[in-house]
Amino acid sequence: DVQARNKLNIGRKERSWEGDLTGDPNENLYRRLLAGGISWVDTDDNQSTFSWHARAGRSLTTERIDRMIYGEYLYTTLTTYATRDANGNEIPRREQNNRAVSGNYNWTWRQLDSVILPTKGLTTIIQLAGGYAISNEKDNGPFSRLYTRNTLYWPLGKSWYSQMRLEFAEVFAKESVGIPDTLLFRAGGDDSVRGYGYRDLHTISIDGVPAGGSKLVTTSLEIARPVSEKYSSIWWAAFVDAGNVANQWSEFNFALGYGVGMRWRSPVGPLRIDVAYGQQVKKARLHFSVGIAF
């Protein structure tokens, strides 16, 4: 009467495990849910984040709509290793421990001509949370969190196709409250702003170390078409991405990335290879990814 799911991710910057146990669906198709996860994330800025979480609630999974309603306990340790700032002053090693207890509602809606290889339709993800944060360095206090990601696939005629994405998120809390780093936002990478490394777009704390931001916006516009009628599963693409994070909207500044790429629309999902130029860092970067990021 119980199903188990485990997901293991081993990458250069991120190692994580997520698992859950779900019961059989009731008359309304909802399942009981117990879930947990643990992760280690490294950055190029002498930082690492260790976190784990435990969840209990219920979930609904259908072809078009997914829902999760759950309570969560989250523990995060953000470690900044000894380094020096731009003036040569030494910044000692520090550990910031944050915890949060929250109630969460996640909703995903899909209206696509194909879930594996979409060319027309819309996906929407909305995540809402509210809870209480506890920190060893900052104040304790309540917070709320909003995240949404919307992707539109639309044919343009004569074998041309477009893909547009808008991602928006914000954490609402007093500036002095210590929000866990995994609830804050960073941008950059294959499914965010190409031309920048994974999580390379971030804020800088008052003591000069990288930190997640409480506000996030990313956008993307891509056009693509098959290279020929004979090789209809191989597409070329051109794209423009923009986005960033900040702690105040008055400080927000879009980082721009643009480039070209190739797509192989394989039977298990699209394989993407992109070359993108990050205008803020003034250099090109190679991106490789497989599958659709809802």
Side-chain angles (χ1 to χ4, degrees):
D1 297 334
V2 175
Q3 293 181 340
R5 179 188 67 90
N6 288 278
K7 178 181 177 181
L8 182 65
N9 177 37
I10 301 175
R12 185 170 64 89
K13 290 189 175 183
E14 181 176 4
R15 287 82 62 200
S16 65
W17 164 82
E18 291 184 1
D20 61 51
L21 296 173
T22 55
D24 286 341
N26 61 21
E27 62 275 9
N28 296 318
L29 301 182
Y30 278 93
R31 299 172 181 265
R32 292 168 296 169
L33 170 71
L34 287 176
I38 187 169
S39 72
W40 294 265
V41 179
D42 299 325
T43 71
D44 294 331
D45 300 301
N46 298 315
Q47 261 189 355
S48 66
T49 303
F50 167 78
S51 67
W52 65 268
H53 67 265
R55 297 173 177 173
R58 60 179 188 160
S59 65
L60 169 73
T61 302
T62 68
E63 183 177 352
R64 183 172 295 183
I65 294 175
D66 295 343
R67 288 193 185 100
M68 286 181 61
I69 305 168
Y70 60 91
E72 179 182 70
Y73 178 82
L74 171 67
Y75 180 89
T76 298
T77 298
L78 177 63
T79 302
T80 303
Y81 302 101
T83 185
R84 294 185 181 275
D85 61 18
N87 298 320
N89 300 316
E90 184 177 356
I91 301 176
R93 174 190 170 103
R94 56 178 286 199
E95 287 190 359
Q96 183 176 339
N97 299 313
N98 294 322
R99 291 164 285 165
V101 179
S102 62
N104 298 262
Y105 178 81
N106 296 354
W107 183 76
T108 301
W109 180 78
R110 295 176 289 268
Q111 180 65 48
L112 300 169
D113 58 348
S114 169
V115 175
I116 298 176
L117 296 170
T119 60
K120 184 178 181 179
L122 175 68
T123 67
T124 295
I125 297 173
I126 298 175
Q127 299 176 355
L128 301 171
Y132 194 84
I134 301 171
S135 175
N136 70 328
E137 289 190 355
K138 295 186 176 182
D139 293 344
N140 305 332
F143 71 92
S144 58
R145 186 178 189 267
L146 165 67
Y147 173 88
T148 181
R149 182 184 177 105
N150 306 274
T151 306
L152 175 67
Y153 303 89
W154 201 257
L156 301 176
K158 295 184 179 180
S159 299
W160 288 87
Y161 300 90
S162 68
Q163 178 178 329
M164 291 164 277
R165 185 192 75 237
L166 174 63
E167 186 180 33
F168 172 87
E170 185 167 2
V171 171
F172 303 91
K174 291 183 178 180
E175 193 172 345
S176 60
V177 173
I179 305 297
D181 186 69
T182 51
L183 294 180
L184 297 173
F185 309 106
R186 304 191 189 205
D190 301 340
D191 295 312
S192 179
V193 183
R194 286 164 286 187
Y196 304 85
Y198 176 59
R199 292 166 54 91
D200 278 358
L201 297 173
H202 49 69
T203 65
I204 300 296
S205 67
I206 58 175
D207 49 6
V209 300
S214 61
K215 296 164 178 59
L216 163 76
V217 176
T218 71
T219 62
S220 177
L221 173 62
E222 179 173 304
I223 58 171
R225 65 167 299 165
V227 296
S228 68
E229 292 185 5
K230 182 178 180 180
Y231 300 103
S232 60
S233 64
I234 300 177
W235 293 10
W236 69 266
F239 57 87
V240 177
D241 295 347
N244 215 327
V245 300
N247 287 321
Q248 302 292 336
W249 287 119
S250 60
E251 302 170 355
F252 192 89
N253 180 33
F254 278 101
L256 188 66
Y258 44 85
V260 295
M262 299 296 294
R263 308 284 181 265
W264 175 40
R265 294 172 64 81
S266 77
V268 295
L271 183 150
R272 304 184 303 174
I273 300 176
D274 295 318
V275 177
Y277 181 81
Q279 192 170 39
Q280 195 174 83
V281 294
K282 293 182 171 54
K283 58 183 178 181
R285 190 178 188 93
L286 181 68
H287 294 269
F288 175 86
S289 60
V290 179
I292 294 293
F294 288 129

